[in-house]
Amino acid sequence: MAGHIGDLLRHEITNPVMTSKESPYFIRQVKRTNKEAKRYRIPSQLLKIKANSITDESRVLMGYLSDARRGLDIYLYDDDKQTLLLLMPLADELEKSGFIARVNSWSKERTGKNLAELDIVIEQQLALPISSDDIKRLVTLS
């Protein structure tokens, strides 16, 4: 945990929501977290969230995600494609499920619709470690 916090401070990242131009840094963080998950059995999660129908409501919800993130989470976000890759270091299945429940609850409160009704899907939910091939395949915004 100290290593992750130190890196965030060293890179002066206070709200790591990266654009597609910053994907190399995001990929390095995924690889590092994956290595730690394998070596030290540290639970971590990788999610891919996509708005299949881009609407004002989906844009509001996707924007909310950056505000709802945990301090160590790192996001790679493509506003045009409404796709978010979410790396949750030091998060287990329960924390991932809690995050998804909070987002669904917030969506229902603000828009009257849950994620499914907004046509926002969680395309991938993976607990690390995963293979290098899976990282290459998943860490894309398309």
Side-chain angles (χ1 to χ4, degrees), residues 82-121:
Q82 290 288 283
T83 301
L84 174 72
L85 293 174
L86 167 57
L87 176 63
M88 300 176 76
L90 308 172
D92 60 19
E93 292 288 330
L94 186 60
E95 289 167 305
K96 177 193 73 175
S97 297
F99 174 82
I100 293 169
R102 284 191 306 279
V103 171
N104 253 318
S105 176
W106 186 89
S107 178
K108 194 74 169 166
E109 289 171 11
R110 295 293 195 273
T111 68
K113 299 175 184 174
N114 63 26
L115 295 178
E117 292 167 328
L118 291 174
D119 201 16
I120 295 175
V121 296

Side-chain angles (χ1 to χ4, degrees), residues 51-68:
N52 289 324
S53 301
I54 299 174
T55 64
D56 289 340
E57 290 172 324
S58 71
R59 286 191 185 280
V60 167
L61 182 71
M62 295 298 272
Y64 165 74
L65 290 174
S66 66
D67 297 331

